[in-house]
Amino acid sequence: TQIDGMGRPLKWTPEQKLPLVLGALRGEGSVAEIGRRHQVSDVTLAKWVRFGPHGTPRGAHTPPVGGLD
């Protein structure tokens, strides 16, 4: 993982995002508080919470292989 000048990853992996997302969902602090602790903007963390650490909207599913019948 490449690091920027402030010690933050340039690209966060799903494994790095997951603890922050779970903390926000569990109410361990506001999105802004958790973001500040980990040097992530509140807007970025809010997107991770909304879309999940893999970028898929929560509750969305992938159609079965072969498409829909």
Side-chain angles (χ1 to χ4, degrees):
T1 302
Q2 291 185 332
I3 305 295
D4 73 6
M6 296 187 67
R8 299 175 296 202
L10 291 175
K11 175 103 172 113
W12 292 75
T13 66
E15 292 78 16
Q16 291 170 311
K17 296 175 187 178
L18 187 59
L20 283 68
V21 170
L22 291 176
L25 293 173
R26 291 179 183 143
E28 295 172 1
S30 69
V31 168
E33 291 169 337
I34 293 169
R36 274 193 300 273
R37 277 187 246 146
H38 298 279
Q39 298 180 339
V40 176
S41 80
D42 57 340
V43 173
T44 297
L45 182 52
K47 286 179 186 177
W48 295 349
V49 170
R50 181 173 178 198
F51 293 106
H54 294 282
T56 305
R58 290 186 330 166
H61 65 86
T62 305
V65 175
L68 299 173
D69 294 321

